[in-house]
């Protein structure tokens, strides 16, 4: 009969049980979103995928707008991200005022998750960075709601 030892502390078991699969998926997804914002272009208030000798207009896909005819709080977010990636901050604010905050949140989330993976969820910077990212996304949600109320 084999006996299990209880020499591991709770802190040790918490560190050992950390699984970074979800963090890696979030990093890949957010990196892809940021990368796409560099590849796309905004022209005439539409988003385009441009290549030499090829110009493809990205169709709007907001289910809320298609169903109600009204803009949702995140309408214009793609154009805002693309504008930010091309350093057009005035255009980004015009498309969606919360876009800059959500873009910053995406970058902060990539940094947070990367740091978490590299340190195996054990770094003194993780807790303050998590608080800061939560504050940024909370402000972005409030700004998106205000933006929606003003421009709907």
């Amino acid at each position: 009969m084999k006996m299990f030892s209880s020499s591991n502390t709770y802190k040790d078991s918490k560190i050992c049980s950390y699984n970074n699969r979800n963090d890696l998926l979030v990093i890949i997804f957010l990196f892809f979103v940021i990368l796409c914002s560099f590849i796309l272009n905004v022209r005439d208030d539409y988003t385009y995928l441009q290549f030499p000798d090829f110009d493809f207009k990205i169709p709007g896909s907001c289910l809320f707008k298609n169903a109600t005819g009204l803009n949702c709080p995140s309408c214009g977010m793609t154009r805002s991200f693309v504008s930010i990636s091309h350093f057009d901050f005035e255009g980004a604010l015009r498309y969606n005022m919360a876009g800059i905050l959500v873009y910053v949140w995406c970058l902060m989330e990539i940094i947070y998750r990367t740091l978490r993976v590299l340190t195996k969820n054990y770094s003194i910077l993780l807790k303050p960075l998590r608080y800061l990212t939560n504050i940024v996304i909370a402000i972005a949600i409030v700004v998106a709601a205000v933006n929606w109320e003003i421009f709907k």
Side-chain angles (χ1 to χ4, degrees):
M1 185 170 180
K2 190 174 186 181
M3 300 294 288
F4 294 101
S5 70
S6 61
S7 63
N8 287 346
T9 63
Y10 173 74
K11 186 177 177 181
D12 291 339
S13 65
K14 188 175 178 184
I15 292 171
C16 293
S17 67
Y18 169 67
N19 184 349
N20 64 8
R21 184 178 345 132
N22 291 339
D23 288 331
L24 291 173
L25 290 174
V26 170
I27 291 167
I28 291 168
F29 176 76
L30 292 177
F31 182 77
F32 179 74
V33 168
I34 299 293
L35 179 68
C36 285
S37 70
F38 279 99
I39 294 171
L40 298 172
N41 287 309
V42 175
R43 189 176 68 240
D44 305 325
D45 287 340
Y46 293 102
T47 306
Y48 289 89
L49 179 60
Q50 278 186 304
F51 292 109
D53 301 328
F54 180 70
D55 204 17
F56 179 72
K57 179 180 165 186
I58 308 289
S61 61
C62 181
L63 297 175
F64 184 85
K65 188 169 187 170
N66 291 341
T68 65
L70 301 172
N71 287 337
C72 73
S74 66
C75 275
M77 196 64 71
T78 301
R79 290 174 288 168
S80 182
F81 268 47
V82 172
S83 296
I84 293 165
S85 293
H86 294 275
F87 301 104
D88 179 16
F89 298 105
E90 183 182 328
L93 287 172
R94 187 176 63 245
Y95 294 124
N96 193 317
M97 287 191 284
I100 292 175
L101 291 170
V102 175
Y103 193 93
V104 168
W105 175 81
C106 287
L107 294 175
M108 289 174 66
E109 195 68 25
I110 289 171
I111 292 167
Y112 169 77
R113 302 268 177 171
T114 302
L115 185 62
R116 192 170 157 179
V117 168
L118 293 177
T119 63
K120 294 183 174 53
N121 200 26
Y122 193 69
S123 172
I124 196 164
L125 298 174
L126 287 176
K127 196 170 188 176
L129 191 57
R130 173 66 356 191
Y131 286 139
L132 190 57
T133 55
N134 289 343
I135 289 169
V136 168
I137 198 62
I139 294 170
I141 290 169
V142 170
V143 170
V146 169
N147 183 51
W148 184 43
E149 189 60 37
I150 292 172
F151 295 110
K152 71 175 178 179

